[in-house]
Amino acid sequence: MSSKKLLFSGIVLTTLGVILLVFWTKICTTVLHSKLVLSNTSLSFKLWKDPPIPIHLSIYLFDWENAETVIKSEWKVKPRFEEKGPFVFSEHHVREISSWNGNGTVSYQQRRIWKFVQSMSNGSLLDNITSVNPIVVILGQKVKNIRFIGPVINSILWYFDEKLYVTKTVNEWLFEGYEDPIISDLVEYHIPGVEIPFDRIGWLYSRNDSATYEGNFTVYTGINDINKLGEMNLWNGRGKTDAYDYPCSLLDGSSGELYSPFNQKQHLSIFLTDICSTLTLERNDTEEVFGIEGAKFIGTDYNFDNGSKYNRQKCFTRNSLPSGVRDISKCKYGAPAFVSYPHFYLADHSYGANVEGLKPDKARHETHITLEPNTGVPLNASAKLQLNLFVDNVKGISVFDNVVPTYMPILWFQEDASLTEKYCNLIGIFQKVLSGGFYFGYVLFGVGLFTMLFAWYSMNGLICRRRYTDLLAEEENES
């Protein structure tokens, strides 16, 4: 090959190498984003609408072991609890699209389908659990500040022989629910201020396979801005909730399973319908799943702070509560419900000091999620929260006599999901293509540069040889 052709080849190879090095990332991310955005034809939409990823919900119920002793002692003895479970359920999500909207959002409803997995559980759905009597505690909270209603409610509770505690099976506490005659009685007499918006008592009653329970979601598809992929736009047609004061009332964060690609993101916000608000996780470490490294985000003391350490959290606290719980009563029909980390992990010591049997443990009770940065795909996630009912002294209602104000643990759950090896391999292929383009660019640039130098050297050598030949010819002619 002539030197000129070599030089031209070197220029072409070097140029291609520079183009790959400069534009390869943009080319790859453009193609990737077209797959990540939600549309009728995108890959991510198919996986998001009916996810094939295995999810498990593990529920631990707190058995109030000494309920009768506590009441007979006039609360001089602390309530003692024993954690029972886990009771494990497989969980499958199905999303039903309502509309594709012109502002780059999609509206949908979500069904969660649970099935009990006996082989993974420690116990049976027929096991008996003694716990705080929810209907009694809810009624006490509702009439606490309503004059003249207390004696009426006290008479009803006495008539039905209601106590501050009740024993039911695991299934009754969770999905099946159980009937309480007080509910129908309250409906019949229409007592103002104490309306009960359900016909059975059960923490997950009427929720299994329901498309309406969690409400209507509107999230960004990412088509106009990939950084908004999966972010909440509206919930039940509104951009805020009535459960908290501003700015805690504003919708914020992801809907929970779609996240945008990121690089330097240090915080991750997730909106949860169960608490009508957002949890924020902090970037903490890295984690490897089937050879794919991701950024790990964890739940910190920020989420349930009372505003004393993080001023932004003050709007979640209506009363001067010690840090460690969030009041979700307005999210739960006025029930005195509070959410925390399991076993009051990271909470003020006073919550655990009023009860016995709880042992907070970072390894067991920390919420975390790991995302692959280039795609935003969750590699591994484990969400953990605890439900508590606040029991207080209510004047005029005898079952609350001598009660020491206590946040009584009811249950805590752990929702786990991990990307399968098959899908991790797909991410691995993308990572190899992304890095391979760079390596190939460097190779092309190096080969091209070497070819150019070689061609330049050859051309200069040829010129020198010609000049040398010409000089010899001139000397011969002169001689």
Side-chain angles (χ1 to χ4, degrees), residues 35 48 106 134 166 178 184 200 207 221 223 252 254 287 310 339 342 384 405 407 435 451:
K35 302 295 183 184
W48 170 79
V106 60
V166 63
Y178 64 91
S184 57
R200 292 173 72 88
R207 183 165 181 172
T221 64
I223 194 168
D252 184 31
S254 163
E287 182 181 22
Y310 305 98
V339 68
K384 304 168 186 178
Y407 293 84
S435 60
T451 303

Side-chain angles (χ1 to χ4, degrees), residues 104-345:
T105 63
V106 60
S107 300
Y108 65 93
Q109 292 180 313
Q110 176 171 265
R111 287 191 292 123
R112 296 178 189 257
I113 304 166
W114 288 285
K115 294 181 180 179
F116 183 59
V117 184
Q118 179 66 72
S119 61
M120 299 178 67
S121 302
N122 181 24
S124 163
L125 293 181
L126 298 179
D127 291 350
N128 285 321
I129 302 290
T130 299
S131 185
V132 176
N133 190 335
I135 193 67
V136 171
V137 175
I138 291 172
L139 287 176
Q141 181 67 22
K142 284 180 174 289
V143 305
K144 189 174 182 180
N145 298 314
I146 303 177
R147 297 179 63 185
F148 310 119
I149 297 294
V152 175
I153 298 300
N154 189 55
S155 297
I156 294 174
L157 294 176
W158 175 84
Y159 178 79
F160 287 108
D161 194 28
E162 293 279 355
K163 297 182 174 62
L164 193 54
Y165 62 92
V166 63
T167 300
K168 299 293 178 181
T169 66
V170 172
N171 199 30
E172 288 175 316
W173 280 120
L174 299 180
F175 291 100
E176 182 181 319
Y178 64 91
E179 294 181 353
D180 192 306
I182 290 183
I183 295 178
S184 57
D185 204 59
L186 292 173
V187 171
E188 181 179 352
Y189 289 102
H190 301 288
I191 301 175
V194 293
E195 294 82 3
I196 303 296
F198 41 81
D199 59 350
R200 292 173 72 88
I201 299 170
W203 301 116
L204 296 172
Y205 171 64
S206 77
R207 183 165 181 172
N208 200 356
D209 203 13
S210 171
T212 59
Y213 186 92
E214 294 190 33
N216 295 282
F217 298 80
T218 300
V219 302
Y220 288 99
T221 64
I223 194 168
N224 296 329
D225 183 357
I226 194 64
N227 294 315
K228 285 189 173 183
L229 175 64
E231 294 289 311
M232 291 289 296
N233 174 238
L234 302 173
W235 183 43
N236 293 326
R238 303 179 63 201
K240 65 175 184 177
T241 77
D242 295 325
Y244 306 98
D245 297 331
Y246 178 86
C248 293
S249 59
L250 297 177
L251 294 192
D252 184 31
S254 163
S255 57
E257 290 180 344
L258 275 178
Y259 304 90
S260 63
F262 64 93
N263 186 16
Q264 300 300 321
K265 182 185 292 185
Q266 297 301 311
H267 296 90
L268 185 70
S269 296
I270 304 172
F271 180 80
L272 302 178
T273 60
D274 284 328
I275 61 175
C276 302
S277 56
T278 298
L279 290 185
T280 299
L281 309 184
E282 183 178 304
R283 192 167 181 168
N284 173 263
D285 203 349
T286 60
E287 182 181 22
E288 192 173 286
V289 179
F290 292 115
I292 304 300
E293 186 174 89
K296 186 175 183 179
F297 296 80
I298 65 170
T300 67
D301 61 348
Y302 174 82
N303 284 308
F304 303 122
D305 182 64
N306 62 1
S308 60
K309 185 175 180 180
Y310 305 98
N311 187 64
R312 172 63 176 76
Q313 299 297 86
K314 188 175 294 184
C315 50
F316 280 122
T317 306
R318 297 184 186 86
N319 304 310
S320 300
L321 300 176
S323 291
V325 302
R326 181 179 297 180
D327 184 352
I328 60 171
S329 56
K330 283 192 175 182
C331 185
K332 297 300 179 185
Y333 311 109
F338 294 77
V339 68
S340 67
Y341 291 127
H343 288 242
F344 296 120
Y345 168 63

